[in-house]
Amino acid sequence: MPSATSLAPADALQENRDQYKADLARTPQGDFMRPTSGRRRSSRSANGVGVQVEDTRICVVMVGLPARGKSLIAQKLVRYLGWLSITAKCFNVGNYRRTNTPQPNASFFDFSNKEGERLRRAAAQAAVDDMCKWFKLPGNLIAILDATNSTKERRRWIKDRCDREGIETLFVESKCDDEDLIMSNIREVKLTSPDYKGQDPEEAAQDFRNRIMMYERVYETLDEDESDLTYCKVIDVGAQVIINRLQDYLQSRVVYYLMNLHIKPRSIWISRHGESMFNLSGQIGGDANISDRGEMYARKLPELVKQSAGDLPLTVWTSTLKRTAQTSRFLPYEKLAWKALDELDSGVCDGLTYADIEKEYPQDFKARDADKYNYRYLGGESYRD
């Protein structure tokens, strides 16, 4: 475990505050915690969430055979983007198709079935139309078009339509030959898909396998013939990732997430650090040691973890602060410190109590209570940061 910095003495904390005195004198109370991004003047437009864009709108087009985890990836991506305060929405073509054909059998997906092809195309058209309407609303930045999109002709049609609407496209193919994962997805589908609601599980599984076979007959993977497209191919759940023609910041955020995505189930246990000396005194921030009660918690923690995790091999992630290192030191696992897990930097208020902050900065104390997520401490951070 890397060594942590020692707690700054009171005179050092005061010196840290003093360096901002001039700024505080010029800045009205109630303003010094506000994010500055809204005040910047720029020829470029901002999407209001700290990302500089020039009317950026992106359609993430899922590509892949059934049972390759496309819908799970789409749902996880929407949640991730929401965590980044980026407005995103998933348009699932299967949901549109079910309005006319709620429980079709595998023959419906036979590409020689002209009526089935017409209905599937109509569902895709309706989903894309709704997506384009959604993009016209302010602040809507990323849509995920969730479907097989299994042929080059279908992908080109989507690309051309988005080009006409001024929407960027990012094709994301989930390509998987892992039979265990495919079978796991098939079992999940037969239990949860509305297509098989009320049907015998074994018959549902066999029909779904037949559906996959229908798509395999015509499936075309993304390749050099589509080198003009922006795409990301995720092969065997991230064993290999191929990226082509990545263009901008938002696309890079999406691809970064996909490169680090785990779609197989796994568990994460989260623990707070043991009680610290600053917890006892009511001070915020700092790098205090844990208290006697914090020490008791640290010694009890291995037993609590074992009750949940058993003998699983774990990795413990902590912040770089002493209180987390001290809390985790009895855990018999590999330990890694990550500065991104450090507590919010409270800037000039570091080491103060909330009573101190209310006394020294009364308007800002109220402003922080009104909007904790967006307010930034002078010389420190906001939760949005």
Side-chain angles (χ1 to χ4, degrees):
M1 175 66 65
S3 60
T5 57
S6 60
L7 182 64
D11 56 348
L13 289 174
Q14 186 59 49
E15 181 181 349
N16 183 46
R17 293 186 198 108
D18 289 344
Q19 68 176 310
Y20 294 104
K21 287 293 187 183
D23 291 327
L24 287 170
R26 291 194 297 268
T27 306
Q29 287 196 21
D31 280 352
F32 79 82
M33 289 185 185
R34 288 192 177 88
T36 58
S37 58
R39 302 184 197 143
R40 293 173 183 158
R41 294 287 181 256
S42 173
S43 60
R44 304 165 67 193
S45 61
N47 64 15
V49 294
V51 178
Q52 293 296 326
V53 296
E54 296 188 21
D55 299 321
T56 301
R57 297 177 299 168
I58 301 172
C59 173
V60 177
V61 185
M62 300 305 301
V63 177
L65 290 165
R68 265 58 178 184
K70 298 185 303 300
S71 293
L72 180 61
I73 292 172
Q75 294 162 13
K76 284 178 173 286
L77 183 56
V78 168
R79 287 199 295 269
Y80 169 69
L81 293 168
W83 178 70
L84 292 177
S85 299
I86 296 172
T87 306
K89 183 176 180 179
C90 182
F91 293 83
N92 182 283
V93 174
N95 290 337
Y96 286 83
R97 184 261 301 159
R98 290 184 189 99
T99 60
N100 292 315
T101 51
Q103 290 189 310
N105 60 31
S107 64
F108 176 83
F109 300 92
D110 187 339
F111 279 71
S112 64
N113 181 340
K114 299 302 181 184
E115 179 62 10
E117 171 67 14
R118 183 187 70 80
L119 291 171
R120 294 197 306 275
R121 177 96 182 193
Q125 180 74 59
V128 171
D129 287 346
D130 282 354
M131 180 190 72
C132 291
K133 292 176 184 176
W134 179 81
F135 269 127
K136 295 184 187 301
L137 299 175
N140 292 344
L141 296 178
I142 298 182
I144 295 93
L145 185 63
D146 182 16
T148 57
N149 298 313
S150 53
T151 65
K152 294 178 180 180
E153 181 275 331
R154 174 60 60 87
R155 296 193 287 269
R156 185 60 57 180
W157 169 74
I158 295 169
K159 173 72 161 56
D160 291 345
R161 173 66 188 276
C162 288
D163 284 350
R164 291 196 299 272
E165 299 284 345
I167 300 167
E168 295 179 10
T169 48
L170 169 59
F171 293 85
V172 174
E173 180 177 8
S174 178
K175 194 173 186 300
C176 181
D177 297 317
D178 184 330
E179 285 299 325
D180 290 338
L181 182 58
I182 294 170
M183 289 306 301
S184 174
N185 287 341
I186 289 174
R187 286 192 293 270
E188 180 72 15
V189 165
K190 75 179 182 182
L191 291 173
T192 61
S193 173
D195 286 354
Y196 297 107
K197 184 177 181 180
Q199 296 187 26
D200 177 78
E202 293 308 313
E203 292 180 2
Q206 184 57 54
D207 184 82
F208 193 65
R209 289 189 190 95
N210 292 338
R211 182 190 300 191
I212 294 173
M213 290 173 58
M214 298 297 178
Y215 277 101
E216 286 175 335
R217 293 174 184 173
V218 299
Y219 187 76
E220 298 172 296
T221 187
L222 287 161
D223 59 23
E224 60 275 5
D225 291 342
E226 296 173 288
S227 60
D228 63 310
L229 302 183
T230 297
Y231 65 75
C232 173
K233 292 181 66 170
V234 182
I235 300 171
D236 286 336
V237 201
Q240 183 180 6
V241 178
I242 300 172
I243 300 169
N244 187 65
R245 295 179 66 89
L246 203 63
Q247 296 183 58
D248 56 34
Y249 171 78
L250 284 180
Q251 289 184 1
S252 69
R253 290 307 298 256
V254 170
V255 170
Y256 173 79
Y257 178 70
L258 295 174
M259 291 175 65
N260 292 277
L261 180 64
H262 295 265
I263 64 174
K264 291 183 178 180
R266 59 178 182 161
S267 298
I268 299 174
W269 290 272
I270 300 175
S271 170
R272 291 213 52 187
H273 63 76
E275 180 184 69
S276 74
M277 300 305 294
F278 266 27
N279 290 146
L280 290 174
S281 60
Q283 295 167 270
I284 67 172
D287 194 16
N289 293 312
I290 57 176
S291 67
D292 290 342
R293 291 205 307 171
E295 178 72 14
M296 291 173 59
Y297 177 76
R299 293 180 180 276
K300 185 71 173 177
L301 187 57
E303 178 185 337
L304 297 174
V305 172
K306 188 173 180 60
Q307 289 175 7
S308 296
D311 296 322
L312 290 174
L314 303 180
T315 300
V316 178
W317 286 85
T318 72
S319 74
T320 63
L321 302 174
K322 289 191 294 187
R323 51 187 175 270
T324 63
Q326 292 169 359
T327 300
S328 68
R329 73 186 189 279
F330 297 111
L331 292 169
Y333 311 111
E334 177 188 13
K335 300 178 184 70
L336 300 171
W338 190 21
K339 189 167 179 57
L341 295 176
D342 284 6
E343 186 175 331
L344 183 77
D345 184 348
S346 50
V348 297
C349 296
D350 192 66
L352 297 179
T353 66
Y354 287 116
D356 293 333
I357 298 172
E358 185 175 22
K359 180 179 178 181
E360 294 190 33
Y361 313 112
Q363 294 180 23
D364 292 291
F365 180 82
K366 294 178 182 178
R368 178 184 178 276
D369 274 353
D371 190 357
K372 289 183 180 179
Y373 181 65
N374 285 303
Y375 278 75
R376 180 185 297 126
Y377 291 98
L378 184 65
E381 300 172 307
S382 70
Y383 284 111
R384 182 185 289 281
D385 294 330

